[in-house]
């Protein structure tokens, strides 16, 4: 092999290696990033979030989401939801989420950063909406519901805005006008997510 052939071969190998690195980076999922770990993660709704079903909408005046992060960068985040001041199908309602969490799993190559949502419930547990009058709606474990779009704010410390449009949620209604199991549930709304070290807010971003 001539010196020129060897040089061309090395150049080709370097180009292929660089292409592989660039392709790998392009396919990588975005990450949630906190300044220091462990961190406390807190989210709260902005305005009103709505869960639509065949029997009508469920809305709550307060929705909070709480979790922790033990690493400074991760492609998924688990948060525990709590809902208060709720109304379902035109009457007051209680929403129970005991034993259930949400996992926000960032999608590879998504821009802006976008997550699918997994609903995780312990064995025997479901999210329950109990409306005055006996109409009950339950939501159990399910994966890959699309989607939540995230954006970074210009605040200091930084935080994240979440634009929620999660569709295709499976739920079961009983004691309602329409009863049975459906896969037409849809959650819409917005939330702000912040990170804390103790009681001190720290930078949180997604990219």
């Amino acid at each position: 092999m001539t010196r020129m052939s060897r040089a061309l071969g090395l150049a080709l190998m370097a180009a292929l290696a660089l292409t592989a690195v660039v392709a790998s980076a392009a396919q990588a999922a975005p990450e949630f990033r906190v300044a220091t770990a462990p961190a406390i993660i807190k989210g709260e709704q902005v305005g009103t979030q709505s869960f639509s079903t065949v029997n009508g909408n469920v809305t709550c005046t307060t929705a909070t989401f709480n979790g922790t992060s033990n690493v400074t960068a991760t492609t998924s985040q688990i948060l525990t939801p709590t809902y208060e001041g709720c109304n379902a199908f035109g009457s007051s309602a209680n929403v129970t989420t005991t034993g259930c969490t949400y996992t926000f799993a960032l999608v590879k190559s998504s821009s802006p950063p976008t997550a699918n949502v997994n609903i995780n419930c312990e064995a025997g547990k479901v999210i329950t909406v109990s409306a005055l009058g006996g109409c009950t709606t339950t939501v159990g474990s399910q994966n890959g519901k699309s989607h939540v779009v995230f954006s970074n704010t210009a605040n200091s410390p930084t935080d994240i805005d979440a634009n929620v449009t999660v569709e295709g949620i499976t739920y079961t209604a009983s004691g309602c006008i329409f009863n049975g199991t459906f896969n037409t549930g849809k959650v819409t709304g917005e939330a702000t997510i912040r990170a804390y070290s103790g009681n001190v807010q720290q930078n949180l971003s997604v990219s």
Side-chain angles (χ1 to χ4, degrees), residues 85-151:
C86 299
N87 184 287
F89 326 128
S91 65
S92 60
N94 291 322
V95 178
T96 304
T97 60
T98 304
C100 296
T101 62
Y102 300 150
T103 298
F104 298 90
L106 290 165
V107 178
K108 290 183 178 180
S109 305
S110 59
S111 181
T114 301
N116 291 332
V117 180
N118 300 336
I119 301 173
N120 324 293
C121 293
E122 299 171 3
K125 300 290 187 179
V126 291
I127 298 172
T128 303
V129 181
S130 302
L132 189 67
C135 178
T136 299
T137 302
T138 59
V139 179
S141 296
Q142 49 201 285
N143 294 331
K145 301 304 175 181
S146 178
H147 55 72
V148 179
V149 178
F150 296 98
S151 60

Side-chain angles (χ1 to χ4, degrees), residues 33-36 39 155-159 194-196 200-205:
R33 296 187 175 92
V34 292
T36 61
N155 299 335
S156 182
T158 57
D159 54 38
R194 300 180 176 90
Y196 296 84
V200 179
Q201 187 178 348
Q202 62 165 301
N203 288 328
L204 172 66
S205 63

